[in-house]
Structures are given as C-alpha cells and as structure tokens.
Amino acid sequence: LLRTIMLLLRDDDVRACLSFEEAIAVNKDAFTADAIVPNRLILDVKGHGATLFKPALLPASSASDSSSSSSSSPSVATGGVGGGAMGAKIVSVRPGNASLGLPTVPGFIVMVHEETGALEALLEGTYLTALRTAAGSAVSASLLSLPSSRSLVVFGAGMQAEAHIQAILCVRRIQHVTIWNRTNEKAEQLASKMSALHKDVKFNVCESVEASVRQGDILVAATNSSSPLWEGAWVRKGTHIIGVGSFTPTMQEIDQETVTKSIIVMDSPGAKSAGDIHIPLQNRSLTEDRLLLIGDVIRGHASVTHDAHSTPVAGLLGRQSPDDITFFKSVGTAVQDIATSRAVLQNARKMSIGMDIPFMEPSSS
C-alpha cells in the first residue's frame, strides 16, 4: 500500500539545508519559472497585524528534478510527480510579538503532493521567508547594482536585515556595512554578530541617516516603517535600492522622490500594492509603464555586465548608465516560497534532516 509521509522541518532544519548561495540560484530561476501563482490574500487582523495566504504551483518543467531525492521509504516522493512542486505559505506580520520574544513575521509553508493532494511537508517559514526574500534581493543586486559597489547601508536590525547582509555579501565585494535601527542596541548586536562572521568587512551603527545614505552604494530598507526612512535628495547617482518592508498601500519606506527618479524593478505585479509604488501611482507622479519585472530583466540580461566605466547597452531592461538609480521593490512571491521549499526538501531528504510523520494512512479495505 502507498502511504504518505509528511516531513516536518523547523527553522534550524531549513537553515542547515540551504545555503545563501544555493538560495540565490534557486530564486533567480524562480523569477523566470512558468508557474501558476494566484493572487495573494491579505487578511487585516485588527489590533494585531496582517496575515497573508500565498499559493503557487510549479509545473514539472519549472521545478528541480525529483530523482535526486534519496528517500527510500515507500512513500509519495518529495516534490510531486515529475519534479513539480505545489504549496502555499501562510505568513503573518505581528509587530507586538517582539515583546513576547516571538518572531514578528511568523509563517509556515505547506507542501501538497500534486497527484494525491496529500500533505507532503510542513516547513517553519520564519527563517525561510527571510532567506528567500534576501536571496531575491541579492539577485537584484547582482543584476542592477554597480559591480564596483563596496558600501552597504541596511535599515532594520531583525532577521530580514541580517539575511540581506549575508546574501548581498555573496554577490558584491562589500567592504563596509552601516546598520540603522530605531533602537541602537539591536543595531549594535547585529553589527557585532556580523563582524564575528565576516572579519574582512567593517560593520558600524548608523550615526547619521543622511550621511549614510549619501555614502551608500546599496541601500536596503527592511523595516515596518509606514513613513519614508530618508529623503530622495540624499540618494547619490548609481545607487541601488532594495525595499522589502512595506507591503500595504499605506506603508511607504521609500520616499516618492527616490522612487520617481529611479529605474523601478518589481519582484511581481503584487508590488504595486505596496505604498512605495502605490502612493506615487495614485497621485500620478508615477506611471505603470515605468514598472519592470525582475523576471524580464533576468531574461533580457539587462545591461548589467558593465563596470562603472563601460558603455551602457541601450534598449535593454534595467540599468542603462552608471549614473542610474535603481530600485528593487519586493513583497515576496509564492513562487519563491515554493521553489525555495522544494530545494530545502530535496536537501533534507539527502541529508536525513527533519521528522517524518505518517499522514493520511490508506484504509486496508
């Protein structure tokens, strides 16, 4: 009899199963995958935050080959028939969790077998969300930031901020990282932790937002702020900006001046609903024809292979000149969640990580 086995993976398991380098490669492929991604559903939980439901289906041609699974159990193979992957992420934003010692962005991913509909895996999604978001941002940095970028400024000091530092260090030779946070103590803790891991990089806590923004080659906004973190006049030519914190129409981490003078690249059409883009669209200082998708930039190889002194390639999507300011807006996509979960599951099976739980046992009749 065929029996289904659900694999349970906690955050530490996910961390052990997929490196940042692997995650960046997986997410770059995910951005161009021929996936079925219904619109995400956002529930506003009054007084607490919001909860998002995000499903996706990666057909076999868009997912990794399931033949690499090392599981010898007579169970439904991880990844589904022919290497496809299907599932959904449920993620919440709960700022009040900080006072409870809980993650402020808790989430989990359910993976469902395509053929049987059986629950295939349950992954704790807090770390995976940070991993795949930062990996997607690193893809944008590899395509849109100047290869000569050496200075990184990160707004926020939580798990997303830490993951973004780790991921961007994989794609650019960053020499100096400045961390800003509403509470200096958390910024100092993150700077100390990162210094221990990356001894060849200088980490410090932001003393002046204006001075840091003016000197940054890459700016990352990873906060829950509903108001802009800096003024557009401070952003210098050639800067690459990454915005991952805002996800509702009223949240605006990046000011309108910065956005309207940038080449804008989104992870998905859903990014238009975040205030950074939604607000200037509503007041008509920005038009939709200026919005690009990262998948199209990847497919077109955008003019991103030049260094700071080369001649831009005209007519391609993305950076056209070393002086261009580029802005990558990310709200996260379900295809990233499912593609990343697929890769984690493959490695978990190979490495015998996680807990197998018998599930949906067939009747013997």
Side-chain angles (χ1 to χ4, degrees):
L1 291 174
L2 182 72
R3 63 189 177 93
T4 63
I5 291 180
M6 181 190 78
L7 181 64
L8 177 64
L9 293 168
R10 303 293 302 272
D11 268 350
D12 286 345
D13 299 325
V14 174
R15 194 185 301 267
C17 285
L18 201 67
S19 68
F20 278 97
E21 291 84 358
E22 290 174 308
I24 291 167
V26 166
N27 279 268
K28 186 173 183 179
D29 288 342
F31 284 134
T32 58
D34 183 20
I36 299 171
V37 187
N39 291 333
R40 61 181 183 162
L41 173 66
I42 304 178
L43 294 183
D44 183 14
V45 185
K46 296 295 185 184
H48 299 291
T51 296
L52 293 76
F53 299 81
K54 305 165 67 175
L57 169 63
L58 280 166
S61 60
S62 297
S64 302
D65 182 3
S66 64
S67 63
S68 61
S69 173
S70 62
S71 174
S72 58
S73 303
S75 60
V76 175
T78 298
V81 176
M86 182 172 70
K89 184 168 81 170
I90 302 175
V91 62
S92 300
V93 178
R94 296 290 189 274
N97 280 4
S99 63
L100 303 174
L102 297 173
T104 57
V105 188
F108 58 90
I109 294 96
V110 290
M111 299 294 284
V112 179
H113 191 268
E114 293 175 78
E115 182 182 14
T116 67
L119 180 59
E120 183 174 39
L122 177 64
L123 296 83
E124 191 171 359
T126 303
Y127 176 73
L128 190 144
T129 297
L131 174 66
R132 70 91 159 112
T133 303
S137 294
V139 171
S140 85
S142 70
L143 293 169
L144 299 169
S145 72
L146 293 173
S148 59
S149 296
R150 298 293 180 266
S151 174
L152 170 65
V153 181
V154 178
F155 287 78
M159 186 179 290
Q160 282 283 5
E162 178 179 339
H164 274 76
I165 292 170
Q166 298 273 46
I168 291 171
L169 288 179
C170 292
V171 300
R172 286 292 180 259
R173 295 192 295 275
I174 299 297
Q175 297 175 349
H176 187 268
V177 178
T178 300
I179 302 170
W180 176 92
N181 196 61
R182 285 176 296 179
T183 56
N184 268 1
E185 183 180 2
K186 285 195 68 176
E188 289 168 355
Q189 290 172 351
L190 180 56
S192 177
K193 181 178 181 180
M194 293 293 97
S195 294
L197 293 175
H198 305 281
K199 298 186 183 301
D200 57 340
V201 179
K202 181 180 179 182
F203 291 85
N204 72 283
V205 174
C206 176
E207 296 181 356
S208 166
V209 172
E210 180 177 353
S212 297
V213 169
R214 288 186 182 278
Q215 296 170 8
D217 296 316
I218 300 174
L219 308 179
V220 174
T223 75
N224 289 322
S225 178
S226 293
S227 57
L229 297 166
W230 63 73
E231 296 181 17
W234 301 344
V235 180
R236 67 179 179 179
K237 294 178 180 180
T239 302
H240 178 55
I241 300 159
I242 296 167
V244 300
S246 67
F247 61 94
T248 71
T250 59
M251 295 177 72
Q252 188 181 25
E253 284 185 301
I254 314 301
D255 74 294
Q256 183 166 293
E257 180 182 348
T258 297
V259 173
T260 55
K261 68 181 182 181
S262 299
I263 292 173
I264 305 163
V265 179
M266 308 180 298
D267 65 345
S268 64
K272 290 186 290 187
S273 66
D276 302 328
I277 295 176
H278 177 77
I279 291 172
L281 282 176
Q282 288 297 106
N283 63 32
R284 300 190 178 184
S285 60
L286 178 68
T287 55
E288 291 206 18
D289 61 342
R290 290 189 52 202
L291 304 179
L292 306 175
L293 291 173
I294 188 70
D296 293 331
V297 174
I298 293 169
R299 291 186 189 96
H301 300 288
S303 46
V304 296
T305 57
H306 62 75
D307 60 27
H309 305 289
S310 64
T311 302
V313 179
L316 294 178
L317 297 179
R319 179 179 292 279
Q320 300 290 303
S321 161
D323 288 342
D324 286 340
I325 296 170
T326 53
F327 171 41
F328 176 64
K329 178 56 194 169
S330 170
V331 292
T333 69
V335 68
Q336 288 180 269
D337 295 317
I338 301 312
T340 304
S341 297
R342 173 73 179 104
V344 168
L345 288 176
Q346 280 191 320
N347 287 348
R349 291 300 189 192
K350 291 178 184 178
M351 302 163 69
S352 298
I353 290 177
M355 179 183 297
D356 280 327
I357 302 174
F359 195 80
M360 269 181 61
E361 294 283 355
S363 63
S364 56
S365 58

